[in-house]
């Protein structure tokens, strides 16, 4: 997710963040604590969308290959009989939690007859991992495969019919896993971002933003921050969309979204603000709603392109984006790169990026996802 910080940096005031998500998180922690254990496993309904009475909801935990315990919400159709069902692992957007978009998608898929798992990625939400507010192209791809592990062990699931759905920045992760994990039989994305491209080359309006010199300046900036963190024994927080001005000066916002909108905000910033910072989509555990990433987090994405092997994806692939989405170019170029002969590109008329986070605008093509997965996971 980008907030187009080139128009924001000067407008964002210095402020205190939530106590559990302070601007500088100390590196040290209680040696008796298990950093890979869940942060919480809240059982009450605390989603940003209404609970469906057509599905059964279970709070679940499972481990990834790195020993981090992930926390998820499992949605199962109530009217399922005794037959084993196809299953779909869902995650995203980047910096969101399962109580937001991914949970809505998962619950809707369960209403359509699938077992669906929405989960928090490592280091975020209720899932384990220390330090907090970290993302990684490797570990987050592994999170998707760990979700496949979990689904394949459930008695309600036919492990030969498991698919993935990645929203926003998790679209690129889903495609990365689809090229590697042979157990995945279908993959779909919704308003996808390729986060390695977004952080390595800058999100522009239909094209990459960084020049080669800009990219080098960003790397210099991030590695200088590593020295500061090492010297101070703290982990600085910042937004992940880094701006380079015409003089080569580099800056990042103190948090992903401001406390209040600046005057005449960038339209994309307003889209994100109206979802993550407003009651419509706000959630206290969402990095995008309340805080920022670890400042040096983009380093792991900049030299690890997620779609390097997209041409090796042979399973059915559905890529959905909005006609007016600023991220549309990510989806269109990913569609060209995917090697599957069974691939579809759906462009939703009139939809911007955040229109496909929830169904406030009535634009999420849930029927398209249903047809795709029912056809591909037969």
């Amino acid at each position: 997710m980008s907030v187009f910080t080139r128009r924001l940096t000067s407008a964002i005031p210095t402020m205190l963040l939530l106590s559990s998500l302070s601007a500088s998180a100390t590196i040290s922690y209680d040696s008796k604590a298990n950093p890979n254990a869940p942060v919480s496993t809240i059982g009450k309904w605390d989603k940003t969308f209404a609970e469906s009475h057509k599905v059964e909801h279970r709070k679940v935990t499972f481990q990834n290959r790195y020993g981090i315990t992930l926390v998820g919400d499992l949605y199962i159709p109530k009217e399922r009989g005794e037959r084993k069902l196809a299953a779909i692992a869902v995650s995203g957007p980047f910096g969101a939690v399962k109580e937001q978009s991914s949970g809505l998608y998962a619950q809707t898929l369960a209403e359509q007859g699938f077992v669906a798992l929405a989960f928090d990625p490592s280091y975020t939400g209720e899932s384990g991992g220390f330090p907090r507010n970290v993302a990684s192209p490797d570990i987050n791809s592994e999170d998707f495969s760990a979700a496949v592990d979990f689904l394949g062990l459930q008695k309600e699931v036919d492990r030969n019919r498991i698919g993935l759905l990645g929203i926003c920045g998790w679209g690129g992760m889903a495609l990365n896993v689809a090229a590697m994990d042979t157990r995945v039989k279908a993959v779909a994305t919704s308003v996808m971002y390729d986060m390695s491209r977004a952080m390595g080359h800058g999100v522009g309006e239909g094209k990459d933003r960084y020049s080669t010199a800009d990219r080098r300046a960003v790397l210099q900036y991030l590695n200088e921050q590593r020295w500061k963190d090492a010297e101070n024994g703290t982990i600085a927080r910042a937004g992940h969309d880094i701006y380079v001005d015409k003089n080569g000066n580099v800056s990042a916002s103190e948090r992903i979204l401001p406390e209040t909108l600046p005057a005449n905000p960038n339209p994309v910033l307003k889209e994100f603000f109206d979802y993550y910072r407003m009651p419509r989509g706000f959630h206290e555990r969402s990095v995008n709603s309340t805080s920022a990433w670890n400042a040096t987090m983009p380093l792991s994405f900049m030299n690890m392109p997620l779609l390097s092997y997209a041409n090796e994806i042979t399973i059915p692939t559905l890529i959905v984006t909005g006609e007016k989405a600023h991220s549309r170019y990510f989806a269109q170029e990913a569609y060209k790169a995917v090697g599957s002969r069974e691939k579809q590109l759906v462009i939703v008329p009139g939809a911007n990026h955040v229109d496909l986070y929830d169904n406030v605008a009535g634009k999420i093509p849930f029927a398209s996802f249903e047809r795709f997965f029912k056809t591909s996971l037969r």
Side-chain angles (χ1 to χ4, degrees), residues 80-100:
R80 60 182 180 272
E82 298 300 321
R83 70 190 188 284
K84 288 183 177 289
L85 304 177
I88 302 162
V90 188
S91 200
F94 193 76
V97 287
K98 63 189 179 305
E99 290 76 17
Q100 295 171 317

Side-chain angles (χ1 to χ4, degrees), residues 195-270:
M195 294 310 301
S196 53
R197 180 176 178 181
M199 284 186 258
H201 298 279
V203 179
E205 298 180 20
K207 62 181 180 180
D208 297 341
R209 192 170 79 232
Y210 295 158
S211 66
T212 301
D214 290 343
R215 179 177 157 82
R216 194 67 186 170
V218 170
L219 287 168
Q220 180 74 22
Y221 170 84
L222 291 171
N223 283 296
E224 285 298 323
Q225 185 60 53
R226 289 189 65 127
W227 282 127
K228 294 175 184 177
D229 287 353
E231 289 169 351
N232 296 333
T234 61
I235 301 171
R237 296 277 171 82
H240 60 285
D241 187 23
I242 300 171
Y243 176 56
V244 185
D245 69 17
K246 62 182 180 181
N247 297 316
N249 298 312
V250 181
S251 58
S253 58
E254 291 183 350
R255 51 184 284 161
I256 295 172
L257 289 168
E259 185 73 15
T260 59
L261 275 176
N264 302 312
N266 182 286
V268 177
L269 167 64
K270 189 173 187 311

Side-chain angles (χ1 to χ4, degrees), residues 83-348:
R83 70 190 188 284
K84 288 183 177 289
L85 304 177
I88 302 162
V90 188
S91 200
F94 193 76
V97 287
K98 63 189 179 305
E99 290 76 17
Q100 295 171 317
S101 299
S102 62
L104 172 64
Y105 274 76
Q107 180 176 258
T108 304
L109 288 165
E111 290 178 329
Q112 295 169 344
F114 303 96
V115 174
L117 172 67
F119 63 91
D120 288 331
S122 296
Y123 307 104
T124 62
E126 293 191 289
S127 290
F130 186 91
R132 305 303 292 169
N133 296 12
V134 175
S136 160
D138 176 27
I139 296 174
N140 292 152
S141 293
E142 162 59 22
D143 289 343
F144 251 142
S145 284
V148 174
D149 294 343
F150 173 82
L151 286 171
L153 296 179
Q154 304 312 299
K155 62 181 174 45
E156 299 89 353
V157 172
D158 178 351
R159 68 166 59 178
N160 294 312
R161 294 190 292 149
I162 297 177
L164 305 180
L165 171 55
I167 306 164
C168 185
W170 274 74
M173 245 77 78
L175 293 177
N176 186 43
V177 175
M180 173 274 296
D181 194 328
T182 57
R183 302 170 301 171
V184 176
K185 304 305 180 186
V187 61
T189 70
S190 185
V191 284
M192 70 161 285
Y193 260 62
D194 171 355
M195 294 310 301
S196 53
R197 180 176 178 181
M199 284 186 258
H201 298 279
V203 179
E205 298 180 20
K207 62 181 180 180
D208 297 341
R209 192 170 79 232
Y210 295 158
S211 66
T212 301
D214 290 343
R215 179 177 157 82
R216 194 67 186 170
V218 170
L219 287 168
Q220 180 74 22
Y221 170 84
L222 291 171
N223 283 296
E224 285 298 323
Q225 185 60 53
R226 289 189 65 127
W227 282 127
K228 294 175 184 177
D229 287 353
E231 289 169 351
N232 296 333
T234 61
I235 301 171
R237 296 277 171 82
H240 60 285
D241 187 23
I242 300 171
Y243 176 56
V244 185
D245 69 17
K246 62 182 180 181
N247 297 316
N249 298 312
V250 181
S251 58
S253 58
E254 291 183 350
R255 51 184 284 161
I256 295 172
L257 289 168
E259 185 73 15
T260 59
L261 275 176
N264 302 312
N266 182 286
V268 177
L269 167 64
K270 189 173 187 311
E271 279 182 46
F272 288 128
F273 188 95
D274 287 348
Y275 179 76
Y276 286 110
R277 292 293 298 159
M278 294 289 101
R280 169 187 169 190
F282 177 89
H283 199 281
E284 62 184 358
R285 291 192 294 273
S286 167
V287 177
N288 295 336
S289 287
T290 63
S291 185
W293 296 99
N294 287 355
T296 58
M297 182 272 290
L299 280 170
S300 62
F301 285 87
M302 292 188 69
N303 282 9
M304 295 188 183
L306 285 164
L307 301 187
S308 296
Y309 295 94
N311 65 310
E312 295 185 7
I313 297 174
T314 58
I315 59 176
T317 304
L318 172 65
I319 296 178
V320 175
T321 192
E323 178 188 16
K324 297 182 179 179
H326 68 279
S327 57
R328 177 174 165 176
Y329 71 105
F330 286 120
Q332 290 176 312
E333 294 191 24
Y335 173 77
K336 294 176 184 176
V338 167
S340 175
R341 294 182 180 179
E342 300 178 67
K343 61 181 180 179
Q344 306 170 46
L345 174 64
V346 174
I347 299 176
V348 180

Side-chain angles (χ1 to χ4, degrees), residues 42-109:
I42 295 171
K44 70 177 182 179
W45 189 264
D46 61 346
K47 322 301 182 195
T48 59
F49 51 92
E51 185 174 8
S52 171
H53 298 294
K54 297 179 182 179
V55 307
E56 177 186 336
H57 166 251
R58 302 176 192 168
K59 182 60 70 78
V60 299
T61 62
F62 55 97
Q63 282 195 339
N64 69 12
R65 193 163 48 87
Y66 296 106
I68 298 171
T69 299
L70 306 182
V71 180
D73 288 306
L74 188 67
Y75 298 91
I76 305 175
K78 285 184 177 178
E79 301 296 328
R80 60 182 180 272
E82 298 300 321
R83 70 190 188 284
K84 288 183 177 289
L85 304 177
I88 302 162
V90 188
S91 200
F94 193 76
V97 287
K98 63 189 179 305
E99 290 76 17
Q100 295 171 317
S101 299
S102 62
L104 172 64
Y105 274 76
Q107 180 176 258
T108 304
L109 288 165

